[in-house]
Amino acid sequence: MRTRPSRQALLYLGVVLTCGVLLFPIYWLVVTALSPADSLHHLPPKFWPEVPQWGIFRQIMEERPIPLWLGNSILAALGSVGISMFVSVFAGYSLSRFRLRGGPSLGLFILTAKMLPATLLVIPLFGIFRQLGLIGSLWSIILAHATLIVPFSTWMLKGYFDTIPRELEQAAMVDGCSPLGAMFRVILPVATPGLAATALYGFVLSWSDYAYARTFLTNSQTNWTANLGITTMKGEYITNWNQISAAAVLVALPIIVIYLFLERYLVGGLTAGAEK
């Protein structure tokens, strides 16, 4: 079926406008980072600085422990994603493959836990972590983020496991695999796109957290995450928005790199190939 040129032009126009709206905040963040501080309030605004201040990134790295904060954010995200994936894989697989009494209701109950706002869990988690002596430690953030990631990850993986034919496991068990062996050697490799998408979701959720970090990591600056560290760059009387924007650009880079690395898994058709 051929598409009329006018409809195709409208389609391209819609794509361009949508991309422009989505990417403009990122573009403006970079422009703010590269602009001199005295030109940020200029009217009309300049959409690109006359002399970009590329040295702002080196300056902010020398004045603030950005690498340390980024390292803490990476450790917190990797730890919370690792724990969450370990729990979610087994939970999602069990809900998908085994006929449990009240299984559908249990799945909905797990999904309901995702709907609870983080602020509702801050106070009980703070009490638990204080009893365990974890306040100020990255472990408090890792465990707190896992409480947010596990419910929705379990639901995502349960839905993905549902799309994988049971005949694959049955064939593996006929060849001598145990049920657990069939899961690890057959199902999980097939479910790689779903695992990658779930891990990326968890990583972004942990990376963007501020409420838990602000509550649990107040004892030592050396354990701050990047988001928490950036908020301390706001001065009492003067705020250097170009420095804050430069730090925000540096913090956004790891997420972009990870997305580019996982993108090929997200669009892969491994499940379709396994069904043949």
Side-chain angles (χ1 to χ4, degrees):
M1 181 177 177
R2 299 183 60 181
T3 304
R4 295 181 178 177
S6 59
R7 294 184 60 182
Q8 194 170 19
L10 287 176
L11 177 63
Y12 284 131
L13 180 62
V15 171
V16 170
L17 289 177
T18 302
C19 291
V21 171
L22 294 177
L23 295 178
F24 184 78
I26 301 175
Y27 162 76
W28 198 249
L29 183 69
V30 176
V31 170
T32 304
L34 297 178
S35 300
D38 55 357
S39 67
L40 294 179
H41 302 288
H42 185 271
L43 290 177
K46 296 181 179 179
F47 287 91
W48 190 255
E50 296 178 357
V51 182
Q53 309 293 312
W54 295 105
I56 189 69
F57 296 105
R58 177 175 53 81
Q59 177 187 348
I60 199 65
M61 295 278 283
E62 293 175 349
E63 294 180 356
R64 303 281 180 169
I66 299 293
L68 176 64
W69 295 342
L70 283 174
N72 291 334
S73 292
I74 292 174
L75 286 177
L78 290 179
S80 57
V81 169
I83 294 175
S84 302
M85 291 300 292
F86 179 80
V87 175
S88 301
V89 164
F90 284 101
Y93 185 79
S94 301
L95 290 173
S96 173
R97 288 299 192 261
F98 300 108
R99 296 185 180 277
L100 306 174
R101 178 175 295 179
S105 301
L106 180 61
L108 290 176
F109 175 77
I110 294 174
L111 183 62
T112 303
K114 174 64 180 71
M115 300 176 185
L116 297 177
T119 52
L120 192 65
L121 302 175
V122 165
I123 294 178
L125 286 177
F126 185 86
I128 294 172
F129 293 153
R130 186 176 59 180
Q131 293 293 328
L132 297 175
L134 295 178
I135 296 298
S137 167
L138 275 181
W139 278 108
S140 62
I141 294 298
I142 292 173
L143 296 176
H145 291 174
T147 63
L148 294 176
I149 299 171
V150 166
F152 196 67
S153 296
T154 299
W155 191 256
M156 285 179 65
L157 289 177
K158 188 260 182 191
Y160 202 87
F161 288 138
D162 287 342
T163 65
I164 300 176
R166 295 173 183 267
E167 287 78 8
L168 291 176
E169 300 155 277
Q170 295 170 354
M173 286 187 281
V174 168
D175 290 339
C177 278
S178 63
L180 200 59
M183 171 187 166
F184 279 100
R185 301 176 66 177
V186 177
I187 301 303
L188 292 188
V190 174
T192 300
L195 296 175
T198 306
L200 182 61
Y201 159 78
F203 196 94
V204 173
L205 193 63
S206 174
W207 192 266
S208 59
D209 168 69
Y210 172 74
Y212 284 155
R214 184 68 181 87
T215 305
F216 301 143
L217 298 179
T218 55
N219 291 348
S220 174
Q221 183 177 350
T222 58
N223 286 334
W224 284 0
T225 57
N227 287 340
L228 179 59
I230 288 177
T231 59
T232 63
M233 296 171 63
K234 185 177 184 301
E236 184 176 2
Y237 301 105
I238 299 176
T239 300
N240 294 320
W241 291 108
N242 54 343
Q243 294 187 3
I244 294 178
S245 299
V249 171
L250 294 175
V251 170
L253 287 178
I255 284 290
I256 297 174
V257 172
I258 291 174
Y259 176 81
L260 293 177
F261 175 74
L262 294 178
E263 187 266 346
R264 61 194 178 103
Y265 293 103
L266 297 177
V267 299
L270 298 181
T271 303
E275 291 176 352
K276 294 179 180 178

